[in-house]
Amino acid sequence: MTTHYLYATILTGEAVAANNRGDNLGNTTTLQKVFHQDDVHTSISAEAIRFALRHHFQLAGLPVNRRYDGDRLIYADEKRTYWGSRTPFIDDDLMGFMDAAAAQAERDDEEAEPGSTAKSGKKKKGTVTKRTSPLAVGRAVSLRPYRGELSFNCVSGVKEKGKLSLYNAEMHTTEYQYSIALNLNDVLDKQNIGHLIDALIEPPPVAGNHARFYYDFSPASIVFRVTSTHASRIQNCFEHDEEGRTYTVARLIRRVASGDIPAEELIIGGELSHTDEGKKLKELGVTVLDGIRKAADEARRRIARRDKAFAVLAEGR
Amino acid sequence: MLTLHVEVPYGSFRKSYARSLAETYPLPPPATVYGMLLSLVGEGFRRRHAGVRLSLAFSGSYRDGSRRHSPFPRVAQTLRKLSRYKYGEASKQSKQGNRPDYIETLCDIAFLCWVDSAQETNPEPRLEMRLREALETPETITRYGVLSLGLSDDAVNDICLVQEPTGDWHRLKPSQEGSLELPVWVDHVGSRHTRWQRYELEREPVTPTEPPLEAYWTVIRPPA
C-alpha cells in the first residue's frame, strides 16, 4: 500500500524568547542552543512542542489518555490496557507510547506490531507494550543566530534583607522554525490528522517563558507538503537574511524550480505569500494562500483526495 | 552499487556506554545508517540484508556552500528528558526513570552513502534494488513511521540517488589504528552482541569520481 505523509515547516512571528528550560547555573538561566550552518542558534525541544500539541488536544475537549491539570500528569490508562478494544485516545494514536519491562535477550525477529504485547517464546523476551509514533516533531531552531542578549533582573517592590531575588537571564528576539512529519497511514483514527493540523495552527504556549514572557508559537508562515516521498526536503527551509534582517526561502525556490520538490505537492500559507519569494513560488506552480487557516484547509482537502481511507477529512471543519 | 545523498539537520547517536551524559558518537554509525536504510524500504527484519556493504563520506561544506570548520559535524549540548534505564528495571523506571539530563546532538549532518549488495547472503531482492525502488517510485513502498536517523524525532530531510557526487567529501576509512570506534551491529538489550569497528575520518576532502576502493567498505554482518 502506498505510504502517504504530511510534512510541515512552521515559522513563528518574531518575539522575545527567554527561560526556555535550560540548565540553571547559579543565577543564570540559559537558553538551549544548537548549531545551524556553523552559527549558534537558540532552540526549543521537540518534547516541549509535543507537550503543547497534547495540551491542545486536552483543551479542545478531545479524549486524551494523559491530562495535565497544571500541576501533574494524570493518565486515564497508563498501561494502555484498553488498546485494541476501543477507539484510541488521540495522544496515544498520534504520539505513540512505550512501556518496556525486563527484556532479557536481544530480539532478532521483527519488532512487535504497534500496540501489541510480545509473547514469551523459547527465549525470555520480556514484555514491551509500545506504539511507534507516526508523528515526528523536530526541534524548533531560532531563525536568527544568538548574539548574546541578556537581561539583569531583580525582585520589584520593597526589598527585604535575605529575600532579594537577582538573576541574569538570556533572551533572544527571534522567530522560530520547526518541522513535523506524519505518516498518514499509521494514524488509526483518521480524524486525528485533522485535529493535529488544528493544533499546529493554534498551539497553546510552548514551554519555558512561564509568566515572564509570552511567546506565540502559532505560525506566521507555514509550508505543507502532502506526498508519498519518504523525506520532506522542507525542514528548516527558512533562512535568516542577515542584511535585510528578514528571512529568505531561496533554497526552497531552487529545489522547486529544479523539480526536486514537485510544486503541486506544496501548500504555502501566511506572511510568506505576500513576499516576492511567495509570488515566485506561486509562479512556479505552488499553491500559495494568504492565510494559515486556508492553507490548513487545503492540506486537509489534499489528504482526503489521496486515498479513500482519508475521505473523512473532506468533511472539513 | 548505488550512491545516496543523505541530509539530516539534527541527530544523536548515544554512545554504547554513555550513562548520565548522553554523549554521541561523532558521526552516525554504520549500524544506524543501515537501520535507516531498512526503514526506508519498509523492512522489519534486521538480518534481511546481511552482507551488504556500506561506505560513507561526510560533507566538507554547509548547504550554503561555506566550508565546514571541521570534517566532523558540530556537537551541541542541551538538556532533555532522558530515560536513565534501559529495558527492564521497571520499578526504578517508573520512580526514577525520567529526568532532565544533558544530551549531545550532531548538527547539520550530510553524507554520501555507497551501497553494494553483491555480497548479500539472502535471496533477492537485494537492498540496492529495494532502495532504488523506494526512491524512484516511493508510492510502491509500504513502511511505518517517519524516516529518521537514530532517534525517531530526528527526521531525514533529504535522501536521494546521486549519479556523480560533486563538492568536497571526507571519506570514512576502516582502520585498525583509527581514533574512532563505531558500532556496526548493535545489541539493543545488552552489549554482548554489539560489534564495533575502528575508523578514521580523512582530514583532506576529495570529490569522489570513482566507486570506493576495497579498503573503504564496511560489511554489515550480524553476530553468528
Side-chain angles (χ1 to χ4, degrees):
Chain A
M1 182 184 170
T2 302
T3 307
H4 303 278
Y5 303 93
L6 170 68
Y7 299 113
T9 293
I10 288 155
L11 181 72
T12 71
E14 181 184 349
V16 179
N19 195 19
N20 283 304
R21 304 270 170 94
D23 195 8
N24 191 314
L25 299 171
N27 65 356
T28 301
T29 304
T30 62
L31 293 168
Q32 306 239 31
K33 298 176 193 71
V34 296
F35 295 97
H36 176 59
Q37 300 279 297
D38 214 21
D39 215 335
V40 177
H41 289 245
T42 58
S43 176
I44 294 171
S45 69
E47 287 77 11
I49 300 168
R50 277 181 178 274
F51 179 89
L53 296 177
R54 280 179 189 271
H55 201 203
H56 172 96
F57 300 144
Q58 177 187 330
L59 297 174
L62 298 166
V64 290
N65 193 354
R66 200 181 80 170
R67 305 183 65 80
Y68 177 62
D69 71 355
D71 183 32
R72 62 201 174 101
L73 300 171
I74 305 161
Y75 282 93
D77 182 357
E78 189 171 3
K79 295 293 182 184
R80 278 86 179 180
T81 54
Y82 81 92
W83 190 261
S85 64
R86 47 151 286 186
T87 306
F89 291 111
I90 182 171
D91 48 347
D92 289 343
D93 193 7
L94 291 175
M95 307 283 189
F97 51 81
M98 180 165 176
D99 182 28
Q104 294 175 3
E106 171 72 319
R107 296 167 61 87
D108 286 336
D109 54 354
E110 190 171 12
E111 292 295 322
E113 285 297 309
S116 72
T117 301
K119 301 279 192 303
S120 296
K122 290 179 182 176
K123 291 180 180 177
K124 184 74 174 173
K125 289 177 178 171
T127 56
V128 180
T129 307
K130 72 167 187 174
R131 168 171 169 74
T132 304
S133 172
L135 174 69
V137 180
R139 64 171 61 251
V141 182
S142 67
L143 184 77
R144 296 158 198 262
Y146 181 63
R147 303 296 191 214
E149 281 180 76
L150 293 167
S151 75
F152 181 73
N153 307 278
C154 61
V155 67
S156 58
V158 178
K159 308 293 185 291
E160 292 180 45
K161 189 174 182 182
K163 291 190 176 179
L164 287 178
S165 174
L166 302 173
Y167 65 96
N168 198 11
E170 290 181 334
M171 309 186 304
H172 196 190
T173 308
T174 183
E175 304 87 342
Y176 281 98
Q177 64 174 318
Y178 70 98
S179 298
I180 64 103
L182 180 68
N183 184 320
L184 300 170
N185 300 46
D186 286 353
V187 180
L188 297 179
D189 181 353
K190 304 303 182 194
Q191 290 273 20
N192 290 337
I193 298 168
H195 295 317
L196 175 69
I197 293 172
D198 290 342
L200 291 175
I201 63 177
E202 294 171 3
V206 174
N209 298 312
H210 307 295
R212 294 173 195 152
F213 293 87
Y214 172 67
Y215 195 101
D216 181 7
F217 234 71
S218 60
S221 297
I222 193 164
V223 180
F224 285 112
R225 185 178 179 192
V226 183
T227 181
S228 293
T229 307
H230 307 299
S232 74
R233 294 181 177 161
I234 62 168
Q235 284 187 56
N236 298 337
C237 61
F238 295 92
E239 293 285 346
H240 180 46
D241 177 355
E242 192 95 44
E243 288 181 4
R245 301 189 66 77
T246 180
Y247 61 83
T248 174
V249 289
R251 188 170 187 244
L252 180 67
I253 292 171
R254 284 199 301 275
R255 300 193 102 173
V256 173
S258 68
D260 284 349
I261 302 177
E264 63 273 16
E265 291 185 351
L266 288 182
I267 306 161
I268 286 172
E271 292 178 4
L272 177 59
S273 67
H274 301 293
T275 66
D276 290 342
E277 290 188 328
K279 289 166 187 160
K280 174 71 177 169
L281 285 163
K282 193 169 187 174
E283 288 169 12
L284 289 168
V286 174
T287 301
V288 179
L289 302 165
D290 58 359
I292 299 294
R293 168 58 66 190
K294 287 179 186 172
D297 289 344
E298 174 62 16
R300 279 169 173 267
R301 284 192 287 272
R302 293 241 185 127
I303 294 167
R305 285 201 298 266
R306 290 189 79 82
D307 192 289
K308 62 183 180 188
F310 309 123
V312 67
L313 291 172
E315 295 163 15
R317 295 163 46 74
Chain B
M1 192 206 72
L2 54 77
T3 313
L4 302 169
H5 175 264
V6 184
E7 189 183 295
V8 186
Y10 297 98
S12 186
F13 314 103
R14 191 171 180 168
K15 283 186 176 175
S16 302
Y17 292 106
R19 288 296 175 260
S20 297
L21 169 61
E23 292 172 275
T24 178
Y25 289 106
L27 298 169
T32 311
V33 175
Y34 174 63
M36 183 266 289
L37 298 178
L38 292 183
S39 172
L40 172 60
V41 301
E43 179 55 63
F45 290 90
R46 211 155 40 121
R47 293 167 182 256
R48 175 66 181 83
H49 294 290
V52 70
R53 300 196 306 166
L54 305 180
S55 182
L56 304 175
F58 291 84
S59 179
S61 57
Y62 291 104
R63 64 191 198 191
D64 65 359
S66 60
R67 190 76 179 262
R68 289 179 185 247
H69 76 292
S70 155
F72 291 96
R74 277 188 179 272
V75 182
Q77 184 169 287
T78 55
L79 276 176
R80 67 176 280 176
K81 190 171 75 174
L82 288 179
S83 172
R84 297 183 59 74
Y85 298 96
K86 294 185 88 171
Y87 306 145
E89 302 283 358
S91 59
K92 287 184 181 175
Q93 181 65 42
S94 60
K95 292 192 179 72
Q96 312 162 33
N98 294 319
R99 55 171 278 187
D101 233 324
Y102 285 110
I103 183 169
E104 291 184 339
T105 300
L106 299 187
C107 306
D108 290 302
I109 304 162
F111 62 93
L112 294 176
C113 176
W114 287 268
V115 182
D116 174 21
S117 285
Q119 297 178 21
E120 280 189 36
T121 51
N122 288 320
E124 291 189 351
R126 301 284 169 84
L127 184 57
E128 263 185 67
M129 298 159 60
R130 296 179 72 183
L131 288 169
R132 192 174 292 281
E133 183 187 8
L135 296 169
E136 291 181 346
T137 53
E139 63 278 4
T140 61
I141 300 296
T142 301
R143 55 177 306 283
Y144 61 86
V146 170
L147 186 66
S148 60
L149 188 63
L151 301 177
S152 57
D153 273 337
D154 293 331
V156 172
N157 186 39
D158 194 6
I159 180 164
C160 58
L161 294 166
V162 177
Q163 297 303 323
E164 288 186 23
T166 57
D168 296 333
W169 300 89
H170 300 270
R171 295 177 298 188
L172 185 68
K173 185 178 183 182
S175 166
Q176 290 293 336
E177 292 78 34
S179 59
L180 301 170
E181 191 168 53
L182 302 173
V184 293
W185 189 271
V186 174
D187 182 339
H188 293 292
V189 177
S191 57
R192 193 158 63 101
H193 296 301
T194 297
R195 294 172 53 244
W196 288 270
Q197 187 163 318
R198 297 199 77 84
Y199 293 90
E200 63 177 308
L201 186 64
E202 293 180 342
R203 304 295 297 190
E204 287 303 315
V206 297
T207 302
T209 53
E210 302 289 333
L213 299 173
E214 278 300 308
Y216 288 86
W217 290 100
T218 296
V219 186
I220 302 298
R221 189 178 293 131

